[in-house]
Amino acid sequence: MRAFTKLSFLLILLMVFFSAQAEQAAKYTPSPENLKARQEFEESRFGIFIHWGIYSTFAQGEWYLQNHNIDKYEYAKAADAFYPHRFNAAEWVSAIKASGAKYICFTSRHHDGFSMWDTDQSPYNIVDATPYGRDVLKELANECERQGISLHLYYSHIDWGRDDYPMGRTATQIIGRNRDNENWPQYYDFMNKQLTELLTNYGKIGAIWFDGHWDRDQDTIPFNWQLDEQYAMIHRLQPACLIGNNHHITPFEGEDIQIFERDIPGENTAGLSGQEISRLPLETCQTMGYAWGYRLEDNNYKSTETLIQYLVSTAAKGANLLLNIGPRPNGELPDKALERLKGIGEWMNVYGETIYGTTAGDIPAQEWGVTTRKGNRLFVHIFNLQENELTLPLNCKVKKAYAFADKTPIKFKKTKEGVKLTFDSVPTGADFVVELITK
């Protein structure tokens, strides 16, 4: 009995020791390179999301395999018809750069499991499985480096086609899946080898943008994604590489940015962004139309004015906007997407200084608009004002006020409610910007 007690005590000590070791290993201290990358990310404020894969050949969006319960083997045959002969990395990057965007996030592998680079881990990729046979990611990475645009990579944690991925709440009706072959250790090893390729063979990667954690959010026993090990591997391979995970909950240890899907931080109109806002750099991803991947019927694009106001409103919350485009199966960016990029770029050429490197403004979003700040400069973005006066609830002292675009002075005076601006006429346009020099 006494020996048993000593043995039990020893086991308890070992359990406590290893538990403490595990907890210590989970603690994440960002490297100096990572902290610098975070700052650069926050200063950029605007990026472009690219959802592109063989799903574009069906013109039904990136969830076509799941939403229509397709036979996975029949779906995979689309690779043999995927020939994006009009893909031109230089044209893509040039159009995106002209919009004022500072980075591109490209879907290296979406939930359908098709890899958009020359991976050695599976023949189901754009080089080996298509007649096109070119590594579009390599071309895009080279062009981003040439034009000074940061490249981020989306990577799905789930796979609707591979049998070794333990099926979650999606893809349960896809034809051809064999649950007897589920093998998480094998699948986890596959993912990490792919991520190693991406972080080794494609130059500097600004961020890895994970998606799919929500696939196991209905499990009775929480699923162990082994994120600590995976995140540590990424930071080891590229210390400056930021990690984000579109899991719709509070950021985990090891993550460097917080993602909000289809909503500005603090809003939750789409039902996907109810989590608390962390102190990490923030990013909102949003579509130009309603779809992420190319959909033939997606013609109801948001207006350029609406997208500009969304970009400004996102910056006013201290967040970046990652605005999505779904390229056509032939490799072209849709005409409407190019029109929106051009329109946003023309606005950013004039007003980019009121967005880049700014922080959230002093005044929360109002019916008339929002504010952003850069040092002692407060930018008042007026979207919708019905009169020629605007009272700002400010406590700071205002030294000067003028229209940002042409530096025309604007009358102002201190009132008990704050600072009252008086315009010669009612402000018009997508965003009439007033700059205040404050003290």
Side-chain angles (χ1 to χ4, degrees), residues 327-370:
R328 298 185 182 119
N330 67 359
E332 291 178 319
L333 302 181
D335 295 342
K336 288 187 178 181
L338 290 171
E339 290 173 7
R340 301 305 186 270
L341 290 178
K342 183 175 183 294
I344 295 171
E346 290 171 351
W347 186 89
M348 290 290 276
N349 282 338
V350 178
Y351 297 103
E353 191 176 355
T354 72
I355 302 299
Y356 301 128
T358 60
T359 58
D362 300 29
I363 305 170
Q366 306 290 318
E367 289 186 7
W368 52 260
V370 298

Side-chain angles (χ1 to χ4, degrees), residues 221-421:
I221 300 174
F223 187 78
N224 182 10
W225 292 93
Q226 296 179 257
L227 295 178
D228 287 346
E229 300 168 43
Q230 195 169 70
Y231 289 178
M233 179 194 73
I234 291 169
H235 287 135
R236 184 172 64 254
L237 290 170
Q238 291 203 26
C241 183
L242 305 177
I243 295 174
N245 196 324
N246 188 37
H247 43 48
H248 309 149
I249 49 182
T250 302
F252 300 144
E253 192 80 22
E255 294 174 6
D256 305 298
I257 61 176
Q258 184 177 10
I259 298 167
F260 295 82
E261 182 174 349
R262 290 191 183 274
D263 270 306
I264 295 170
E267 300 178 2
N268 191 25
T269 60
L272 301 171
S273 299
Q275 68 269 39
E276 292 185 5
I277 301 173
S278 73
R279 300 182 66 180
L280 294 175
L282 311 175
E283 181 184 71
T284 286
C285 58
Q286 182 58 275
T287 55
M288 287 190 178
Y290 68 86
W292 298 100
Y294 179 68
R295 289 182 70 103
L296 192 60
E297 73 268 32
D298 187 10
N299 293 311
N300 190 24
Y301 274 48
K302 301 170 184 68
S303 68
T304 300
E305 178 178 293
T306 297
L307 293 174
I308 289 171
Q309 292 178 357
Y310 201 90
L311 169 60
V312 174
S313 297
T314 305
K317 291 291 290 188
N320 291 10
L321 174 62
L322 183 60
L323 186 60
N324 182 74
I325 299 174
R328 298 185 182 119
N330 67 359
E332 291 178 319
L333 302 181
D335 295 342
K336 288 187 178 181
L338 290 171
E339 290 173 7
R340 301 305 186 270
L341 290 178
K342 183 175 183 294
I344 295 171
E346 290 171 351
W347 186 89
M348 290 290 276
N349 282 338
V350 178
Y351 297 103
E353 191 176 355
T354 72
I355 302 299
Y356 301 128
T358 60
T359 58
D362 300 29
I363 305 170
Q366 306 290 318
E367 289 186 7
W368 52 260
V370 298
T371 60
T372 57
R373 178 174 279 282
K374 184 182 292 182
N376 68 338
R377 304 165 72 191
L378 181 66
F379 304 108
V380 182
H381 300 266
I382 301 173
F383 303 155
N384 180 29
L385 190 63
Q386 302 301 316
E387 52 190 6
N388 70 333
E389 293 182 343
L390 176 61
T391 298
L392 304 171
L394 291 173
N395 295 320
C396 58
K397 181 179 179 181
V398 175
K399 299 169 62 177
K400 295 180 181 179
Y402 49 85
F404 180 83
D406 59 11
K407 309 307 177 187
T408 302
I410 292 174
K411 299 175 185 177
F412 68 94
K413 67 177 182 178
K414 177 70 176 175
T415 69
K416 62 180 181 180
E417 290 83 15
V419 176
K420 183 178 182 180
L421 305 178

Side-chain angles (χ1 to χ4, degrees), residues 14-31:
L14 288 172
M15 289 173 64
V16 170
F17 172 77
F18 285 117
S19 177
Q21 289 291 97
E23 184 177 353
Q24 185 177 2
K27 296 298 181 183
Y28 167 55
T29 301
S31 67

Side-chain angles (χ1 to χ4, degrees), residues 10 36 60 74 105 116-117 155 185 194 203 212 215 234 245 287 310 326 376 385 419:
L10 179 60
K36 181 182 178 183
Q60 295 293 317
E74 288 299 313
C105 185
M116 293 292 285
W117 80 96
Y155 188 88
Q194 283 208 318
D215 192 45
I234 291 169
N245 196 324
T287 55
Y310 201 90
N376 68 338
L385 190 63
V419 176

